[in-house]
């Protein structure tokens, strides 16, 4: 940046007070902050500045990080939680520059030429581009495309951090020191208990993932159909069912839940799938669940939630481009209202926020432990992406910026109302 009248350190000084606990060293030789700071960041080239200037938000920062243009010597790429936590602490030292100062900083960057660097190759298309390609949010085609983008990765890569249970949803820990695998199987059995399912009953698992619920249910003698839109998951689940010798009880299909022809299920579970459905589609989704249940059957709906009803439903640019295209989150109150308006009775609502934070701690530690295996499987940028996403999610669960709720809902019986479920709660069975 020889031609610039403003160094990178001076630009950073527009946004952070001099006592901020961070040191930033930049490619132009300038330095912001002190050597003894607990956090050190490195801006390695001008491309990072163009990314951040173009998108001064989580998307710009993520692009620079995933390309290796922005880094930290303290950072563990599979588990960057501590660095993200330190960065979150910088909000107490943030300044708000004037419009004139912002213009000067932008002018310093663009004095070297107006450049719009290509985004990382692993970045998905924007919503606008998806629309021009005819991929409309929350249609059958749109859902298939977005689910495939996230889940049709290497199964072996997912196993590195998910562990043997291959369960990509919140575990439930009886004790904080429980293993991840024990906590995941405990969650699966807890869900089955909440649906009051017994041997011979019929279960539909919407968004079944790699088949862990199918294994857990079939081991109890429950007949279970799982559906997913991810081909890699179907292949893994079908092999797992065959290895366990449970083909007579468990089945996994590559199918949209709206196309399942069967009905009259004793229970339906949706674990970590509703984030893809879309808020405006909640009424039609819950009606579909209602129509597929027998009278007195139970729906167990498990999904990530916003903490209030005022926030925008759509995720930010980083999540939309890299993690869950078209993903939307609603508040527990909005979800419960949609469930009740469909005609269900909500029996219990449970917040598992702390359990998901602990689950993500295990996942990121597993990814870091297997980092040298992860990189060649999917490439370093994508491996970095998963570490960044999971560490950021852990921090947001810990800070109560997001939550995760289970809704236990019963379809009323026209003859008996909803008095067909046991008087004793699921946890006392």
């Amino acid at each position: 940046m020889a031609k610039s009248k403003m160094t990178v350190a001076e630009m950073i000084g527009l946004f952070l007070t001099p006592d901020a606990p961070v040191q930033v060293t930049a490619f132009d030789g300038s330095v912001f902050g002190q050597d003894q700071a607990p956090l050190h960041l490195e801006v390695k080239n001008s491309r990072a500045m163009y990314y951040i200037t173009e998108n001064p938000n989580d998307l710009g920062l993520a692009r620079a990080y995933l390309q290796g243009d922005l880094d930290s010597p303290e950072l563990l790429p599979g588990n960057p939680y501590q660095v993200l936590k330190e960065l979150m602490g910088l909000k107490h030292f943030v300044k708000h520059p004037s419009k004139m100062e912002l213009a000067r900083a932008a002018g310093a960057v663009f004095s070297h030429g107006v450049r719009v660097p290509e985004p990382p190759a692993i970045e998905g298309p924007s919503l606008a581009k998806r629309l021009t390609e005819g991929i409309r949010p929350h249609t059958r085609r749109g859902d298939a495309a977005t689910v495939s983008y996230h889940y049709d990765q290497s199964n072996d890569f997912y196993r590195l951090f998910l562990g043997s249970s291959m369960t990509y949803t919140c575990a439930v820990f009886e004790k904080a020191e429980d293993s991840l695998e024990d906590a995941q199987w405990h969650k699966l059995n807890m869900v089955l208990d909440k649906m009051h399912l017994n041997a011979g009953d019929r279960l539909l698992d919407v968004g079944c993932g790699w088949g862990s619920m199918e294994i857990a249910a079939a081991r109890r003698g429950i007949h279970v159909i799982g559906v997913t839109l991810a081909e890699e998951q179907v292949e893994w689940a079908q092999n797992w069912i065959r290895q366990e010798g449970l083909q007579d009880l468990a089945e996994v299909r590559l199918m949209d839940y709206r196309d399942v022809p069967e009905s009259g299920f004793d229970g339906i579970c949706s674990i970590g799938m509703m984030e893809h459905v879309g808020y405006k589609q909640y009424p039609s989704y819950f009606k579909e669940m209602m129509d597929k249940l027998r009278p007195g059957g139970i729906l167990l709906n498990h999904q990530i939630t916003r903490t209030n009803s005022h926030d925008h439903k759509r995720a930010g640019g980083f999540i939309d481009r890299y993690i869950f295209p078209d993903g939307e989150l609603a508040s527990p109150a909005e979800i419960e209202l949609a469930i009740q308006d469909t005609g269900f009775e909500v029996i219990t609502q449970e917040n598992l926020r702390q359990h998901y934070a602990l689950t993500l701690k295990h996942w990121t530690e597993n990814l870091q432990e297997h980092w040298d295996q992860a990189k060649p499987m999917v490439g370093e940028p994508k491996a970095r992406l998963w570490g960044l996403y999971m560490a950021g999610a852990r921090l947001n669960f810990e800070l109560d910026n997001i939550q995760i709720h289970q809704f236990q809902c019963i379809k009323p019986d026209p003859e008996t109302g909803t008095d067909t479920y046991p008087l004793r709660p699921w946890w006392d069975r």
Side-chain angles (χ1 to χ4, degrees):
M1 282 200 165
K3 288 191 274 186
S4 176
K5 297 179 182 179
M6 198 173 196
T7 67
V8 172
E10 288 171 335
M11 294 180 200
I12 293 168
L14 295 178
F15 297 90
L16 291 176
T17 61
D19 59 339
V22 61
Q23 183 183 68
V24 183
T25 57
F27 61 93
D28 64 356
S30 66
V31 179
F32 173 91
Q34 304 301 314
D35 291 345
Q36 63 269 27
L39 176 64
H40 299 80
L41 300 178
E42 300 171 352
V43 182
K44 294 189 172 181
N45 54 47
S46 62
R47 184 170 61 178
M49 300 304 297
Y50 281 99
Y51 276 140
I52 295 168
T53 303
E54 181 192 4
N55 289 280
N57 50 31
D58 59 352
L59 180 60
L61 290 168
R63 284 173 169 173
Y65 170 68
L66 295 176
Q67 294 285 69
D69 303 338
L70 182 65
D71 216 331
S72 167
E74 287 93 15
L75 185 138
L76 301 174
N79 184 18
Y81 168 80
Q82 194 58 44
V83 166
L84 292 182
K85 191 172 182 179
E86 297 280 357
L87 283 171
M88 189 74 74
L90 294 180
K91 66 183 179 182
H92 302 294
F93 302 88
V94 169
K95 297 193 305 183
H96 298 285
S98 67
K99 290 182 180 179
M100 184 177 296
E101 289 172 324
L102 288 174
R104 182 180 169 222
V109 174
F110 293 123
S111 67
H112 301 271
V114 178
R115 290 174 49 204
V116 180
E118 288 293 321
I122 62 171
E123 182 172 307
S126 67
L127 173 61
K129 183 169 177 55
R130 296 197 295 269
L131 289 172
T132 62
E133 295 173 352
I135 301 175
R136 292 173 52 236
H138 312 304
T139 59
R140 280 173 167 79
R141 183 184 176 194
D143 288 348
T146 56
V147 169
S148 176
Y149 172 80
H150 186 88
Y151 294 105
D152 280 335
Q153 312 292 337
S154 162
N155 286 331
D156 290 333
F157 171 70
Y158 275 108
R159 196 178 191 282
L160 290 180
F161 60 88
L162 297 183
S164 61
S165 72
M166 286 296 281
T167 305
Y168 194 26
T169 57
C170 171
V172 177
F173 295 80
E174 293 185 282
K175 303 183 299 296
E177 59 269 21
D178 286 349
S179 71
L180 174 63
E181 285 71 22
D182 286 348
Q184 288 290 17
W185 289 111
H186 174 66
K187 185 274 300 294
L188 294 166
N189 284 303
M190 184 183 84
V191 167
L192 293 170
D193 286 345
K194 283 188 174 184
M195 290 185 289
H196 305 296
L197 295 178
N198 299 300
D201 286 342
R202 298 171 61 236
L203 168 65
L204 174 63
D205 180 17
V206 178
C208 64
W210 288 270
S212 58
M213 174 55 79
E214 284 58 47
I215 300 300
R219 285 173 179 171
R220 292 188 176 201
I222 297 165
H223 296 271
V224 55
I225 296 172
V227 293
T228 175
L229 297 175
E231 293 184 23
E232 293 276 346
Q233 292 182 335
V234 172
E235 180 181 355
W236 181 282
Q238 290 176 342
N239 286 336
W240 195 359
I241 290 167
R242 283 194 294 270
Q243 290 168 8
E244 294 272 344
L246 297 171
Q247 301 95 310
D248 293 341
L249 291 166
E251 177 187 358
V252 169
R253 303 172 182 171
L254 183 67
M255 179 179 285
D256 190 293
Y257 69 90
R258 290 162 285 203
D259 296 329
V260 174
E262 293 91 344
S263 60
F265 290 97
D266 299 288
I268 298 177
C269 60
S270 172
I271 307 176
M273 194 282 289
M274 281 291 290
E275 296 85 350
H276 301 285
V277 168
Y279 177 66
K280 291 182 179 179
Q281 279 66 45
Y282 283 5
S284 60
Y285 171 83
F286 287 117
K287 184 180 186 302
E288 191 80 32
M289 300 300 102
M290 175 75 80
D291 292 344
K292 284 179 166 51
L293 276 172
R294 65 164 175 81
I298 290 180
L299 167 68
L300 195 287
N301 194 66
H302 169 120
Q303 68 184 96
I304 298 173
T305 57
R306 293 193 181 278
T307 54
N308 62 67
S309 304
H310 306 299
D311 293 334
H312 294 295
K313 303 295 182 286
R314 287 188 62 84
F318 166 67
I319 295 295
D320 185 69
R321 300 285 187 95
Y322 286 96
I323 306 297
F324 293 119
D326 300 326
E328 294 181 349
L329 302 181
S331 72
E334 292 170 313
I335 297 163
E336 184 162 343
L337 182 62
I339 293 170
Q340 291 177 329
D341 284 352
T342 307
F344 283 103
E345 178 187 355
V346 177
I347 307 170
T348 64
Q349 181 196 122
E350 184 174 13
N351 183 0
L352 299 170
R353 175 183 65 80
Q354 293 163 302
H355 293 270
Y356 215 157
L358 187 52
T359 303
L360 287 154
K361 178 178 183 292
H362 281 276
W363 288 347
T364 50
E365 288 174 349
N366 286 346
L367 181 57
Q368 182 60 35
E369 182 181 349
H370 298 99
W371 184 249
D372 289 340
Q373 295 169 259
K375 286 191 295 182
M377 282 184 180
V378 295
E380 184 165 357
K382 186 161 284 190
R384 277 180 167 243
L385 169 63
W386 249 251
L388 177 65
Y389 162 60
M390 294 191 296
R394 174 189 169 187
L395 190 57
N396 276 290
F397 278 112
E398 288 179 347
L399 296 172
D400 195 25
N401 292 330
I402 50 176
Q403 300 173 345
I404 184 161
H405 282 77
Q406 283 189 354
F407 299 85
Q408 182 192 30
C409 323
I410 189 167
K411 175 179 178 177
D413 188 316
E415 300 297 326
T416 62
T418 56
D419 291 338
T420 56
Y421 62 89
L423 290 176
R424 283 190 300 162
W426 66 268
W427 59 83
D428 194 35
R429 291 188 65 196

